[in-house]
Short mmCIF file of all heavy atoms in Angstrom, two decimals:
data_model
loop_
_atom_site.label_atom_id
_atom_site.label_comp_id
_atom_site.label_asym_id
_atom_site.label_seq_id
_atom_site.Cartn_x
_atom_site.Cartn_y
_atom_site.Cartn_z
N ALA E 1595 126.53 86.78 23.96
CA ALA E 1595 127.87 86.82 24.55
C ALA E 1595 128.92 87.33 23.56
O ALA E 1595 129.85 88.04 23.94
CB ALA E 1595 128.28 85.41 24.98
N LEU E 1596 128.72 87.03 22.29
CA LEU E 1596 129.65 87.53 21.28
C LEU E 1596 129.32 88.99 20.95
O LEU E 1596 130.20 89.80 20.77
CB LEU E 1596 129.56 86.68 20.02
CG LEU E 1596 130.03 85.23 20.21
CD1 LEU E 1596 129.96 84.47 18.89
CD2 LEU E 1596 131.50 85.20 20.71
N GLU E 1597 128.01 89.30 20.88
CA GLU E 1597 127.63 90.67 20.61
C GLU E 1597 128.03 91.57 21.78
O GLU E 1597 128.51 92.70 21.60
CB GLU E 1597 126.14 90.76 20.43
CG GLU E 1597 125.62 90.04 19.17
CD GLU E 1597 124.13 89.89 19.15
OE1 GLU E 1597 123.46 90.46 20.04
OE2 GLU E 1597 123.61 89.21 18.24
N GLY E 1598 127.89 91.06 23.00
CA GLY E 1598 128.20 91.87 24.18
C GLY E 1598 129.67 92.09 24.37
O GLY E 1598 130.08 93.00 25.11
N HIS E 1599 130.48 91.24 23.70
CA HIS E 1599 131.94 91.37 23.85
C HIS E 1599 132.38 92.77 23.37
O HIS E 1599 133.30 93.36 23.92
CB HIS E 1599 132.66 90.27 23.11
CG HIS E 1599 134.12 90.23 23.37
ND1 HIS E 1599 134.65 90.16 24.63
CD2 HIS E 1599 135.20 90.24 22.51
CE1 HIS E 1599 135.96 90.11 24.54
NE2 HIS E 1599 136.30 90.19 23.28
N GLY E 1600 131.71 93.26 22.32
CA GLY E 1600 132.04 94.59 21.83
C GLY E 1600 131.79 95.65 22.86
O GLY E 1600 132.61 96.55 23.08
N LYS E 1601 130.68 95.55 23.56
CA LYS E 1601 130.37 96.49 24.64
C LYS E 1601 131.39 96.35 25.76
O LYS E 1601 131.81 97.38 26.34
CB LYS E 1601 128.96 96.23 25.19
CG LYS E 1601 128.59 97.11 26.34
CD LYS E 1601 127.21 96.76 26.85
CE LYS E 1601 126.89 97.54 28.13
NZ LYS E 1601 125.56 97.19 28.68
N ASP E 1602 131.79 95.14 26.04
CA ASP E 1602 132.75 94.91 27.12
C ASP E 1602 134.08 95.60 26.81
O ASP E 1602 134.69 96.21 27.68
CB ASP E 1602 132.96 93.39 27.25
CG ASP E 1602 133.52 93.00 28.60
OD1 ASP E 1602 133.02 93.50 29.61
OD2 ASP E 1602 134.48 92.21 28.64
N LEU E 1603 134.50 95.54 25.56
CA LEU E 1603 135.74 96.22 25.15
C LEU E 1603 135.62 97.74 25.27
O LEU E 1603 136.55 98.40 25.70
CB LEU E 1603 136.10 95.84 23.70
CG LEU E 1603 136.54 94.40 23.49
CD1 LEU E 1603 136.71 94.11 22.01
CD2 LEU E 1603 137.84 94.11 24.24
N LEU E 1604 134.42 98.26 24.91
CA LEU E 1604 134.20 99.68 25.03
C LEU E 1604 134.27 100.15 26.48
O LEU E 1604 134.86 101.18 26.78
CB LEU E 1604 132.84 100.08 24.42
CG LEU E 1604 132.69 99.94 22.92
CD1 LEU E 1604 131.26 100.29 22.48
CD2 LEU E 1604 133.69 100.82 22.18
N LEU E 1605 133.70 99.34 27.36
CA LEU E 1605 133.72 99.67 28.80
C LEU E 1605 135.17 99.65 29.33
O LEU E 1605 135.54 100.45 30.15
CB LEU E 1605 132.85 98.72 29.57
CG LEU E 1605 131.34 98.83 29.34
CD1 LEU E 1605 130.55 97.73 30.06
CD2 LEU E 1605 130.84 100.19 29.84
N SER E 1606 135.96 98.68 28.82
CA SER E 1606 137.36 98.62 29.25
C SER E 1606 138.13 99.85 28.82
O SER E 1606 138.94 100.39 29.56
CB SER E 1606 138.01 97.36 28.65
OG SER E 1606 137.46 96.20 29.21
N LYS E 1607 137.85 100.30 27.56
CA LYS E 1607 138.50 101.49 27.07
C LYS E 1607 138.10 102.72 27.88
O LYS E 1607 138.92 103.61 28.13
CB LYS E 1607 138.16 101.70 25.60
CG LYS E 1607 138.82 100.69 24.66
CD LYS E 1607 138.46 100.95 23.22
CE LYS E 1607 139.10 99.92 22.31
NZ LYS E 1607 138.74 100.15 20.89
#
Side-chain angles (χ1 to χ4, degrees):
L1596 294 181
E1597 294 168 7
H1599 188 53
K1601 177 183 173 181
D1602 201 47
L1603 290 174
L1604 292 177
L1605 290 173
S1606 294
K1607 289 181 181 180

